[in-house]
Amino acid sequence: MSVPFQGLSFELEFPQSVGVYEKYEDAQRAVDFLADNRFPVQNLAIVGTDLKLIERVTGRKSWATVIRSSALSGISTGLLVGILLSLFTQGNNFLVMLLVAILVAVVISIIFGGLAYSMTGGKRDFNSVRTTVPSKYEILCEHKVAAQAREELAKLPGARAADFQ
């Protein structure tokens, strides 16, 4: 269970569950409560469990939407390329170079966007955004202080009422 992230390690030594919460805010409140009570919180991890993939359909995909999105992508790419080219060339033709870069990028983007769309053969004729969300949040703790964490969490206001729901 070790995943390095920018020099940090998410590894816990023999992790044990000390609490499961429906909302991230509740898990965060529990860890904050432990921190306020001088518990060594560096021995904890909040882990999202029971993951769900949610895909929100945002619209129908058609040739018009493909061309429009490809053109917009080409404009941004052309602007970037045109500005970079102007930094490394001399002369007063900045505007011409910028417009040519945008035009070429738009044409290329529309061609490749259209090819990609035509190759789908009518499958996935919609646009969407995806996210992964956990259903529950579990607090894991290193085994050497797990019992102490459970004892402290039992003192958390509302903890007993939550056990009976």
Side-chain angles (χ1 to χ4, degrees):
M1 184 157 159
S2 174
V3 180
F5 180 72
Q6 294 181 353
L8 300 175
S9 176
F10 288 100
E11 186 175 303
L12 292 176
E13 198 173 300
F14 303 111
Q16 295 181 0
S17 178
V18 295
V20 177
Y21 301 88
E22 296 293 321
K23 297 178 186 170
Y24 175 78
E25 292 77 17
D26 294 337
Q28 184 179 10
R29 184 175 68 102
V31 172
D32 189 46
F33 177 80
L34 290 171
D36 291 345
N37 288 294
R38 308 261 187 258
F39 181 82
V41 291
Q42 66 273 14
N43 294 297
L44 300 174
I46 299 175
V47 179
T49 61
D50 298 333
L51 300 179
K52 293 180 183 178
L53 173 69
I54 299 173
E55 183 172 9
R56 173 74 166 99
V57 177
T58 58
R60 179 184 307 249
K61 191 183 284 187
S62 65
W63 278 106
T65 59
V66 168
I67 291 171
R68 183 176 34 246
S69 66
S70 296
L72 288 173
S73 175
I75 289 171
S76 61
T77 303
L79 275 171
L80 178 65
V81 170
I83 290 170
L84 287 174
L85 283 174
S86 69
L87 292 175
F88 299 108
T89 59
Q90 294 179 351
N92 295 335
N93 57 359
F94 169 75
L95 189 58
V96 173
M97 187 180 307
L98 188 63
L99 291 175
V100 169
I102 290 172
L103 181 65
V104 169
V106 166
V107 170
I108 291 172
S109 185
I110 289 173
I111 290 170
F112 282 107
L115 282 172
Y117 179 63
S118 68
M119 291 174 68
T120 63
K123 295 182 176 111
R124 273 196 73 83
D125 277 346
F126 59 91
N127 295 315
S128 64
V129 291
R130 295 181 188 179
T131 188
T132 302
V133 294
S135 298
K136 296 180 182 168
Y137 298 89
E138 185 172 13
I139 298 177
L140 297 179
C141 183
E142 293 222 2
H143 71 287
K144 58 190 171 201
V145 289
Q148 179 188 355
R150 285 188 196 98
E151 288 173 17
E152 289 295 325
L153 287 173
K155 300 174 191 173
L156 180 67
R160 291 204 153 208
D163 291 340
F164 295 107
Q165 290 181 1

PDB file of all heavy atoms in Angstrom, residues 6-27:
ATOM      1  N   GLN A   6       5.236  13.047  -4.914  1.00  0.00           N
ATOM      2  CA  GLN A   6       6.048  14.240  -4.729  1.00  0.00           C
ATOM      3  C   GLN A   6       6.902  14.163  -3.469  1.00  0.00           C
ATOM      4  O   GLN A   6       6.875  15.044  -2.616  1.00  0.00           O
ATOM      5  CB  GLN A   6       5.167  15.483  -4.689  1.00  0.00           C
ATOM      6  CG  GLN A   6       4.477  15.757  -5.999  1.00  0.00           C
ATOM      7  CD  GLN A   6       3.635  17.013  -5.949  1.00  0.00           C
ATOM      8  OE1 GLN A   6       3.457  17.613  -4.914  1.00  0.00           O
ATOM      9  NE2 GLN A   6       3.098  17.400  -7.088  1.00  0.00           N
ATOM     10  N   GLY A   7       7.625  13.078  -3.310  1.00  0.00           N
ATOM     11  CA  GLY A   7       8.535  12.961  -2.191  1.00  0.00           C
ATOM     12  C   GLY A   7       7.883  12.450  -0.914  1.00  0.00           C
ATOM     13  O   GLY A   7       8.563  12.197   0.065  1.00  0.00           O
ATOM     14  N   LEU A   8       6.563  12.331  -0.897  1.00  0.00           N
ATOM     15  CA  LEU A   8       5.877  11.807   0.270  1.00  0.00           C
ATOM     16  C   LEU A   8       5.534  10.346   0.041  1.00  0.00           C
ATOM     17  O   LEU A   8       5.453   9.891  -1.084  1.00  0.00           O
ATOM     18  CB  LEU A   8       4.577  12.581   0.526  1.00  0.00           C
ATOM     19  CG  LEU A   8       4.719  14.077   0.785  1.00  0.00           C
ATOM     20  CD1 LEU A   8       3.337  14.708   0.883  1.00  0.00           C
ATOM     21  CD2 LEU A   8       5.494  14.330   2.055  1.00  0.00           C
ATOM     22  N   SER A   9       5.316   9.628   1.122  1.00  0.00           N
ATOM     23  CA  SER A   9       4.919   8.233   0.990  1.00  0.00           C
ATOM     24  C   SER A   9       3.592   8.033   1.698  1.00  0.00           C
ATOM     25  O   SER A   9       3.377   8.541   2.793  1.00  0.00           O
ATOM     26  CB  SER A   9       5.982   7.326   1.606  1.00  0.00           C
ATOM     27  OG  SER A   9       5.559   5.992   1.563  1.00  0.00           O
ATOM     28  N   PHE A  10       2.707   7.292   1.056  1.00  0.00           N
ATOM     29  CA  PHE A  10       1.409   6.989   1.650  1.00  0.00           C
ATOM     30  C   PHE A  10       1.438   5.654   2.377  1.00  0.00           C
ATOM     31  O   PHE A  10       0.407   5.112   2.723  1.00  0.00           O
ATOM     32  CB  PHE A  10       0.322   6.970   0.568  1.00  0.00           C
ATOM     33  CG  PHE A  10      -0.008   8.331   0.057  1.00  0.00           C
ATOM     34  CD1 PHE A  10       0.508   8.785  -1.136  1.00  0.00           C
ATOM     35  CD2 PHE A  10      -0.819   9.169   0.784  1.00  0.00           C
ATOM     36  CE1 PHE A  10       0.205  10.045  -1.606  1.00  0.00           C
ATOM     37  CE2 PHE A  10      -1.127  10.437   0.329  1.00  0.00           C
ATOM     38  CZ  PHE A  10      -0.615  10.879  -0.871  1.00  0.00           C
ATOM     39  N   GLU A  11       2.600   5.144   2.608  1.00  0.00           N
ATOM     40  CA  GLU A  11       2.738   3.825   3.195  1.00  0.00           C
ATOM     41  C   GLU A  11       2.501   3.866   4.701  1.00  0.00           C
ATOM     42  O   GLU A  11       3.051   4.701   5.411  1.00  0.00           O
ATOM     43  CB  GLU A  11       4.140   3.290   2.916  1.00  0.00           C
ATOM     44  CG  GLU A  11       4.346   1.872   3.358  1.00  0.00           C
ATOM     45  CD  GLU A  11       5.706   1.369   2.946  1.00  0.00           C
ATOM     46  OE1 GLU A  11       5.992   1.408   1.742  1.00  0.00           O
ATOM     47  OE2 GLU A  11       6.456   0.958   3.833  1.00  0.00           O
ATOM     48  N   LEU A  12       1.666   2.952   5.180  1.00  0.00           N
ATOM     49  CA  LEU A  12       1.463   2.742   6.609  1.00  0.00           C
ATOM     50  C   LEU A  12       1.928   1.332   6.939  1.00  0.00           C
ATOM     51  O   LEU A  12       1.746   0.413   6.143  1.00  0.00           O
ATOM     52  CB  LEU A  12      -0.007   2.901   6.997  1.00  0.00           C
ATOM     53  CG  LEU A  12      -0.611   4.299   6.904  1.00  0.00           C
ATOM     54  CD1 LEU A  12      -2.105   4.249   7.234  1.00  0.00           C
ATOM     55  CD2 LEU A  12       0.094   5.256   7.833  1.00  0.00           C
ATOM     56  N   GLU A  13       2.498   1.174   8.098  1.00  0.00           N
ATOM     57  CA  GLU A  13       2.990  -0.134   8.514  1.00  0.00           C
ATOM     58  C   GLU A  13       1.849  -0.928   9.146  1.00  0.00           C
ATOM     59  O   GLU A  13       1.311  -0.539  10.186  1.00  0.00           O
ATOM     60  CB  GLU A  13       4.119   0.073   9.536  1.00  0.00           C
ATOM     61  CG  GLU A  13       5.002  -1.138   9.730  1.00  0.00           C
ATOM     62  CD  GLU A  13       6.184  -0.789  10.621  1.00  0.00           C
ATOM     63  OE1 GLU A  13       6.957   0.103  10.236  1.00  0.00           O
ATOM     64  OE2 GLU A  13       6.291  -1.396  11.689  1.00  0.00           O
ATOM     65  N   PHE A  14       1.438  -2.013   8.549  1.00  0.00           N
ATOM     66  CA  PHE A  14       0.342  -2.858   9.003  1.00  0.00           C
ATOM     67  C   PHE A  14      -0.907  -2.033   9.352  1.00  0.00           C
ATOM     68  O   PHE A  14      -1.324  -1.983  10.497  1.00  0.00           O
ATOM     69  CB  PHE A  14       0.767  -3.709  10.210  1.00  0.00           C
ATOM     70  CG  PHE A  14       1.966  -4.565   9.944  1.00  0.00           C
ATOM     71  CD1 PHE A  14       3.177  -4.283  10.568  1.00  0.00           C
ATOM     72  CD2 PHE A  14       1.906  -5.623   9.059  1.00  0.00           C
ATOM     73  CE1 PHE A  14       4.301  -5.057  10.314  1.00  0.00           C
ATOM     74  CE2 PHE A  14       3.017  -6.403   8.802  1.00  0.00           C
ATOM     75  CZ  PHE A  14       4.218  -6.119   9.430  1.00  0.00           C
ATOM     76  N   PRO A  15      -1.493  -1.359   8.369  1.00  0.00           N
ATOM     77  CA  PRO A  15      -2.621  -0.461   8.666  1.00  0.00           C
ATOM     78  C   PRO A  15      -3.852  -1.217   9.157  1.00  0.00           C
ATOM     79  O   PRO A  15      -4.135  -2.337   8.727  1.00  0.00           O
ATOM     80  CB  PRO A  15      -2.897   0.198   7.315  1.00  0.00           C
ATOM     81  CG  PRO A  15      -2.354  -0.741   6.302  1.00  0.00           C
ATOM     82  CD  PRO A  15      -1.194  -1.441   6.951  1.00  0.00           C
ATOM     83  N   GLN A  16      -4.553  -0.581  10.078  1.00  0.00           N
ATOM     84  CA  GLN A  16      -5.801  -1.114  10.614  1.00  0.00           C
ATOM     85  C   GLN A  16      -6.868  -0.040  10.515  1.00  0.00           C
ATOM     86  O   GLN A  16      -6.592   1.148  10.697  1.00  0.00           O
ATOM     87  CB  GLN A  16      -5.632  -1.535  12.072  1.00  0.00           C
ATOM     88  CG  GLN A  16      -4.686  -2.686  12.264  1.00  0.00           C
ATOM     89  CD  GLN A  16      -4.579  -3.090  13.730  1.00  0.00           C
ATOM     90  OE1 GLN A  16      -5.213  -2.518  14.603  1.00  0.00           O
ATOM     91  NE2 GLN A  16      -3.757  -4.100  13.988  1.00  0.00           N
ATOM     92  N   SER A  17      -8.088  -0.451  10.264  1.00  0.00           N
ATOM     93  CA  SER A  17      -9.193   0.492  10.169  1.00  0.00           C
ATOM     94  C   SER A  17      -9.603   0.934  11.570  1.00  0.00           C
ATOM     95  O   SER A  17      -9.776   0.116  12.467  1.00  0.00           O
ATOM     96  CB  SER A  17     -10.377  -0.167   9.469  1.00  0.00           C
ATOM     97  OG  SER A  17     -11.461   0.732   9.417  1.00  0.00           O
ATOM     98  N   VAL A  18      -9.753   2.245  11.742  1.00  0.00           N
ATOM     99  CA  VAL A  18     -10.209   2.770  13.029  1.00  0.00           C
ATOM    100  C   VAL A  18     -11.527   3.533  12.899  1.00  0.00           C
ATOM    101  O   VAL A  18     -12.083   3.962  13.900  1.00  0.00           O
ATOM    102  CB  VAL A  18      -9.128   3.667  13.698  1.00  0.00           C
ATOM    103  CG1 VAL A  18      -7.915   2.840  14.062  1.00  0.00           C
ATOM    104  CG2 VAL A  18      -8.746   4.839  12.820  1.00  0.00           C
ATOM    105  N   GLY A  19     -12.022   3.685  11.685  1.00  0.00           N
ATOM    106  CA  GLY A  19     -13.304   4.347  11.482  1.00  0.00           C
ATOM    107  C   GLY A  19     -13.681   4.401  10.021  1.00  0.00           C
ATOM    108  O   GLY A  19     -12.815   4.481   9.154  1.00  0.00           O
ATOM    109  N   VAL A  20     -14.996   4.318   9.769  1.00  0.00           N
ATOM    110  CA  VAL A  20     -15.526   4.414   8.404  1.00  0.00           C
ATOM    111  C   VAL A  20     -16.619   5.479   8.428  1.00  0.00           C
ATOM    112  O   VAL A  20     -17.485   5.482   9.308  1.00  0.00           O
ATOM    113  CB  VAL A  20     -16.097   3.062   7.925  1.00  0.00           C
ATOM    114  CG1 VAL A  20     -16.699   3.201   6.529  1.00  0.00           C
ATOM    115  CG2 VAL A  20     -15.024   1.990   7.931  1.00  0.00           C
ATOM    116  N   TYR A  21     -16.582   6.390   7.448  1.00  0.00           N
ATOM    117  CA  TYR A  21     -17.496   7.533   7.417  1.00  0.00           C
ATOM    118  C   TYR A  21     -18.135   7.655   6.039  1.00  0.00           C
ATOM    119  O   TYR A  21     -17.525   7.334   5.041  1.00  0.00           O
ATOM    120  CB  TYR A  21     -16.736   8.823   7.770  1.00  0.00           C
ATOM    121  CG  TYR A  21     -16.099   8.735   9.134  1.00  0.00           C
ATOM    122  CD1 TYR A  21     -14.825   8.210   9.289  1.00  0.00           C
ATOM    123  CD2 TYR A  21     -16.797   9.144  10.264  1.00  0.00           C
ATOM    124  CE1 TYR A  21     -14.247   8.096  10.548  1.00  0.00           C
ATOM    125  CE2 TYR A  21     -16.224   9.040  11.524  1.00  0.00           C
ATOM    126  CZ  TYR A  21     -14.954   8.517  11.660  1.00  0.00           C
ATOM    127  OH  TYR A  21     -14.392   8.405  12.908  1.00  0.00           O
ATOM    128  N   GLU A  22     -19.364   8.144   6.034  1.00  0.00           N
ATOM    129  CA  GLU A  22     -20.100   8.323   4.784  1.00  0.00           C
ATOM    130  C   GLU A  22     -19.611   9.539   4.005  1.00  0.00           C
ATOM    131  O   GLU A  22     -19.655   9.559   2.790  1.00  0.00           O
ATOM    132  CB  GLU A  22     -21.600   8.467   5.063  1.00  0.00           C
ATOM    133  CG  GLU A  22     -22.238   7.232   5.680  1.00  0.00           C
ATOM    134  CD  GLU A  22     -22.266   6.052   4.730  1.00  0.00           C
ATOM    135  OE1 GLU A  22     -22.512   6.250   3.524  1.00  0.00           O
ATOM    136  OE2 GLU A  22     -22.024   4.922   5.196  1.00  0.00           O
ATOM    137  N   LYS A  23     -19.162  10.574   4.719  1.00  0.00           N
ATOM    138  CA  LYS A  23     -18.741  11.818   4.083  1.00  0.00           C
ATOM    139  C   LYS A  23     -17.282  12.092   4.419  1.00  0.00           C
ATOM    140  O   LYS A  23     -16.819  11.827   5.529  1.00  0.00           O
ATOM    141  CB  LYS A  23     -19.579  12.998   4.578  1.00  0.00           C
ATOM    142  CG  LYS A  23     -21.043  12.896   4.254  1.00  0.00           C
ATOM    143  CD  LYS A  23     -21.771  14.089   4.830  1.00  0.00           C
ATOM    144  CE  LYS A  23     -23.278  13.939   4.659  1.00  0.00           C
ATOM    145  NZ  LYS A  23     -23.977  14.966   5.421  1.00  0.00           N
ATOM    146  N   TYR A  24     -16.589  12.702   3.456  1.00  0.00           N
ATOM    147  CA  TYR A  24     -15.189  13.064   3.682  1.00  0.00           C
ATOM    148  C   TYR A  24     -15.066  14.033   4.857  1.00  0.00           C
ATOM    149  O   TYR A  24     -14.150  13.945   5.660  1.00  0.00           O
ATOM    150  CB  TYR A  24     -14.579  13.680   2.418  1.00  0.00           C
ATOM    151  CG  TYR A  24     -13.180  14.176   2.662  1.00  0.00           C
ATOM    152  CD1 TYR A  24     -12.112  13.293   2.699  1.00  0.00           C
ATOM    153  CD2 TYR A  24     -12.928  15.526   2.889  1.00  0.00           C
ATOM    154  CE1 TYR A  24     -10.825  13.728   2.957  1.00  0.00           C
ATOM    155  CE2 TYR A  24     -11.644  15.973   3.144  1.00  0.00           C
ATOM    156  CZ  TYR A  24     -10.603  15.076   3.184  1.00  0.00           C
ATOM    157  OH  TYR A  24      -9.333  15.505   3.444  1.00  0.00           O
ATOM    158  N   GLU A  25     -16.012  14.965   4.955  1.00  0.00           N
ATOM    159  CA  GLU A  25     -15.975  15.956   6.024  1.00  0.00           C
ATOM    160  C   GLU A  25     -15.999  15.299   7.400  1.00  0.00           C
ATOM    161  O   GLU A  25     -15.367  15.782   8.339  1.00  0.00           O
ATOM    162  CB  GLU A  25     -17.140  16.943   5.889  1.00  0.00           C
ATOM    163  CG  GLU A  25     -17.040  17.856   4.690  1.00  0.00           C
ATOM    164  CD  GLU A  25     -17.415  17.182   3.368  1.00  0.00           C
ATOM    165  OE1 GLU A  25     -18.066  16.105   3.380  1.00  0.00           O
ATOM    166  OE2 GLU A  25     -17.035  17.710   2.315  1.00  0.00           O
ATOM    167  N   ASP A  26     -16.748  14.173   7.536  1.00  0.00           N
ATOM    168  CA  ASP A  26     -16.804  13.465   8.818  1.00  0.00           C
ATOM    169  C   ASP A  26     -15.458  12.805   9.132  1.00  0.00           C
ATOM    170  O   ASP A  26     -15.006  12.827  10.275  1.00  0.00           O
ATOM    171  CB  ASP A  26     -17.918  12.417   8.798  1.00  0.00           C
ATOM    172  CG  ASP A  26     -19.302  13.049   8.705  1.00  0.00           C
ATOM    173  OD1 ASP A  26     -19.447  14.235   9.085  1.00  0.00           O
ATOM    174  OD2 ASP A  26     -20.229  12.363   8.248  1.00  0.00           O
ATOM    175  N   ALA A  27     -14.830  12.222   8.125  1.00  0.00           N
ATOM    176  CA  ALA A  27     -13.503  11.618   8.328  1.00  0.00           C
ATOM    177  C   ALA A  27     -12.487  12.707   8.676  1.00  0.00           C
ATOM    178  O   ALA A  27     -11.649  12.530   9.569  1.00  0.00           O
ATOM    179  CB  ALA A  27     -13.067  10.850   7.083  1.00  0.00           C
TER     180      ALA A  27
END
